[in-house]
Amino acid sequence: MNACPEKVIRMMDDYLDGEISPSEEKELKESLENCSDCRKIYQELTRTIAFVQSASHVQAPPDFVQKTMAGLPKESQRVGVKRFMRHHPLMIAAALFVLLMSAAMMSSFSDDQQFAFTKQENLVVEGETVVVPAGQTVVGDITIRNGDLRVDGELEGDVTIVNGQYMASSGVIDGEIEEIDQVFEWLWYTIKGTFNDAVSFFDSNEQPIGE
Amino acid sequence: MDALVNKRIKRVMKGDQDAFAEIVELYQHQLFQICYRMLGNRHEAEDIAQEAFTRAYVNIHTFDQNRKFSTWLYRIATNLCIDRIRKKKPDYHLDAEVRGTEGLNMYSKIANEEELPEEELMRMEVQERVQYEISRLPDKYRAAIVLKYIEELPLAEISEILDLPLGTVKTRIHRGREALRKQLSNL
Ligand SMILES: [Zn+2]
């Protein structure tokens, strides 16, 4: 039994891909007329394609959109603040101006800049990073100001980090994590309706920056 | 269509979840279809299609708006499907054994969860068989065949979705087609 020439098979492929030259198309037709094996392969191929294409089109389940939307991750506060900054650059500039001009505000702000955290059993401190050590379990909520958190062990509780961040960790947190950037919060506060208060506050505390 | 989609994507980038719901609405059936044909199972297809949309949403800022959104979305989905197929490969040997003894019963069971009239079943059998043969293809041929013959996408787009040179895409379609021809020759 003679195998059909490779070239005929290649021409069939080109033909089925819609990429055959007129001269090869003619050659292919002749081959198909002259060889019943080639013809059989060709017919089976077109039949296969027809079968695959006849596969009825399936539809996503009726509640697919709703389920997908419900499964999307919630936006973090940080993204919201960043978006606000992107879309309201003028307001941010105005707020920054007020803040920077107000030495009193700056100093009261920096009073708040000390590293502090909720003391819980098994917590370890490395510099200004609070650590849940590997192999240890800490139970209870933790709030950290002006410092970072790393979890190498297990933490059963919610975390709030003000002016710091949750570092890449290898452990497990069984609770919610919230990061608050206080500078943003302050801007928000200033923008949101205490603009006048801030100005009068500035007036009553005339202390140029740098003195 | 593309202009409309891009408008929605801009809204999604600004944080508008409703705009993303419209995108899901628009592509859900095509994406589900790709996953279903790749995985051969409704439940898994739903799972993976949902995951693909979620990844698209989370990574929307990395989408290059000069490109076609569907190409990017299908790419996420086919990659997820191929991952899934590779992870559960051992199961396939089990399936093959079942097939040797019990014919297509196992696959029929999956597809026939809804009650269908007799003549519908008769028609379904060929389709089930075709789906079954598609899911027996090696994953790399399977993706190319599904995109080409079920989604009817141009070769250039398939090459972009699969991130493969055009020549490789053609070879995979040829080999997949040839494998299916042999598998279906007794039908
Ligand atoms: Zn021949």
Side-chain angles (χ1 to χ4, degrees), chain B:
Chain B
M1 162 103 168
D2 283 352
L4 228 80
V5 169
N6 278 342
K7 229 177 181 174
R8 287 186 181 127
I9 286 164
K10 284 204 183 89
R11 278 167 53 204
V12 176
M13 284 173 169
K14 287 176 189 164
D16 183 346
Q17 278 207 349
D18 292 344
F20 193 72
E22 289 169 29
I23 300 243
V24 177
E25 186 82 49
L26 208 55
Y27 290 106
Q28 58 172 333
H29 297 304
Q30 268 168 299
L31 203 73
F32 180 77
Q33 165 110 315
I34 291 176
C35 297
Y36 177 70
R37 295 299 171 196
M38 289 283 291
L39 301 166
N41 170 320
R42 281 192 150 264
H43 183 75
E44 276 189 308
E46 187 179 352
D47 211 34
I48 296 289
Q50 231 177 63
E51 173 72 19
F53 276 119
T54 303
R55 291 207 184 181
Y57 178 77
V58 171
N59 298 306
I60 196 79
H61 293 273
T62 68
F63 168 63
D64 174 359
Q65 289 182 69
N66 298 316
R67 300 188 164 226
K68 213 169 154 184
F69 180 72
S70 58
T71 303
W72 185 64
L73 184 63
Y74 295 168
R75 184 166 175 173
I76 295 174
T78 47
N79 284 341
L80 285 171
C81 286
I82 290 172
D83 275 359
R84 174 63 67 99
I85 293 163
R86 290 186 181 159
K87 271 185 196 141
K88 62 170 199 176
K89 244 190 186 143
D91 295 341
Y92 270 68
H93 296 294
L94 269 178
D95 288 357
E97 277 166 38
V98 168
R99 188 180 58 91
T101 53
E102 273 293 322
L104 295 165
N105 283 359
M106 200 176 156
Y107 281 83
S108 315
K109 236 173 150 183
I110 294 165
N112 289 346
E113 270 166 3
E114 311 107 42
E115 289 272 330
L116 292 166
E118 180 82 6
E119 62 267 20
E120 183 80 64
L121 277 180
M122 294 293 286
R123 196 175 65 80
M124 277 299 292
E125 265 172 31
V126 176
Q127 299 200 336
E128 260 178 83
R129 172 70 188 279
V130 170
Q131 175 59 46
Y132 171 69
E133 298 299 350
I134 291 173
S135 45
R136 280 178 66 203
L137 290 175
D139 51 66
K140 51 188 188 176
Y141 300 162
R142 204 185 311 176
I145 289 284
V146 167
L147 295 173
K148 166 79 183 163
Y149 287 114
I150 294 181
E151 292 303 318
E152 296 181 33
L153 297 174
L155 292 174
E157 203 172 328
I158 299 174
S159 121
E160 228 184 298
I161 292 171
L162 299 179
D163 198 19
L164 292 169
L166 201 60
T168 310
V169 170
K170 281 189 195 170
T171 307
R172 290 189 177 185
I173 289 172
H174 298 170
R175 296 206 178 137
R177 203 157 61 192
E178 177 60 14
L180 281 176
R181 177 182 76 83
K182 286 184 176 148
Q183 290 166 213
L184 289 167
S185 61
N186 64 353
L187 189 74

Side-chain angles (χ1 to χ4, degrees), chain A residues 3-5 8 31 35-39:
Chain A
C4 295
V8 181
S31 307
C35 171
S36 62
D37 286 345
C38 282
R39 206 155 53 231

